[in-house]
Amino acid sequence: MAIRTILAPVAGTAIDQRVMETAFRMAKRFNAHLEALFVAAEPQDAIPIVGEGMSGLIIEEMIRAAETETEKREVNGKASFAAAVKDAGIETSETPTDDAKPTCAWRKDSGREDETVARRGRLFDLVVIGRDPKEASASLTFDAALMETGRPILVAPENPPATVGEKVMIAWNGGVEAARAVTSAMPLLRSAKEVTIVSIGDVPYGRACGKALAVQFRWHGVEANVVDNTDSGNVANALISEAEKCGADTIVLGAYSHSRFKEMILGGVTQDMLAKCTLPLWIMH
């Protein structure tokens, strides 16, 4: 699979800058078309459930306030997009060009942001998104992108590194989710300068080890280093430590190998990595 189209949701918040910076880097790397998607909330969806006895005047004021907030977010989102276009020097285009070069476009839809991103994200090769647990709507959109698009997502960290995808580390446990993440990231791996496969603890019985994956990579022209870390402690901490050791600027990770609900309640590698890791995460469920 080639990365030819990239979706990057913008919401008019502080998250947009990191998303745009990371998304435009990917667009230039793959000569891909980037769509910045802003979803304008419907006024009736942006206000609390109307209670009994609430007057029509109050409802109208709430709707106007919601519309004003949406307009403010759109202006902020467009500003972030315009600044990124200027910095990246990428041409805007609504249709494919004959030349293999990066392009971008702004798109505005209406509705629920999470539902719209899930629906539109299925049409793209990659979704670049930010995550902030303090932003409820952003978390819903993040979950929808990860769980409902069937596409890989690249999580833009708060402070994107100088490079993305030059030195890639793969978190490998031989599981289905890890295999899907690796397959989706193959365009990134082929163009990387250095790839490192890291396994933490023992790979479960019946699963392929990191060395076996490295052998298969050679058929794709990818040479990979293999690290078997016997640390039996916190997996996320061990992965982050190994990423620092090999100088990785991006981590490929299979998401939620256990029940997502169980990880949210009891904790898990995916939740830990999203909370602690400061590098871009290429993840797929």
Side-chain angles (χ1 to χ4, degrees), residues 138-283:
S139 294
L140 286 174
T141 302
F142 176 88
D143 290 346
L146 175 60
M147 307 299 292
E148 299 180 34
T149 63
R151 303 297 187 181
I153 71 173
L154 182 61
V155 185
E158 184 173 359
N159 298 302
T163 61
V164 178
E166 296 291 333
K167 293 186 176 183
V168 182
M169 190 189 90
I170 298 169
W172 180 254
N173 64 1
V176 173
E177 290 77 16
R180 287 175 179 156
V182 166
T183 300
S184 71
M186 193 53 69
L188 187 74
L189 301 178
R190 287 197 191 101
S191 61
K193 294 180 179 178
E194 186 175 314
V195 176
T196 304
I197 302 169
V198 174
S199 296
I200 305 300
D202 295 327
V203 174
Y205 176 77
R207 296 184 180 183
C209 64
K211 291 180 180 178
L213 180 64
V215 170
Q216 291 301 111
F217 274 179
R218 294 186 187 127
W219 291 99
H220 295 275
V222 176
E223 292 292 331
N225 303 312
V226 179
V227 175
D228 293 317
N229 185 318
T230 58
D231 190 341
S232 59
N234 184 280
V235 174
N237 288 345
L239 287 172
I240 292 171
S241 176
E242 290 296 340
E244 292 175 351
K245 291 177 184 177
C246 67
D249 60 16
T250 310
I251 297 176
V252 175
L253 177 75
Y256 295 114
S257 57
H258 298 292
S259 162
R260 175 171 170 270
F261 178 76
K262 181 178 179 181
E263 284 211 16
M264 290 177 66
I265 300 301
L266 302 178
V269 176
T270 307
Q271 290 291 107
D272 271 1
M273 290 296 286
L274 289 170
K276 299 175 181 178
C277 188
T278 58
L279 295 175
L281 292 174
W282 182 295
I283 63 180

Side-chain angles (χ1 to χ4, degrees), residues 62-126:
M62 294 175 69
I63 289 177
R64 281 197 295 270
E67 290 174 338
T68 299
E69 176 64 19
T70 297
E71 291 171 358
K72 178 182 176 182
R73 285 180 175 247
E74 182 179 0
V75 169
N76 291 340
K78 277 187 175 179
S80 296
F81 173 69
V85 172
K86 182 178 180 180
D87 289 343
I90 289 180
E91 177 184 329
T92 58
S93 177
E94 299 291 339
T95 57
T97 60
D98 294 332
D99 301 329
K101 62 182 180 181
T103 57
C104 63
W106 171 270
R107 180 186 177 94
K108 176 182 176 181
D109 278 354
S110 298
R112 283 178 52 108
E113 185 182 55
D114 55 337
E115 293 176 352
T116 305
V117 168
R119 181 181 68 250
R120 189 132 187 92
R122 295 168 194 148
L123 305 174
F124 287 75
D125 300 320
L126 174 68

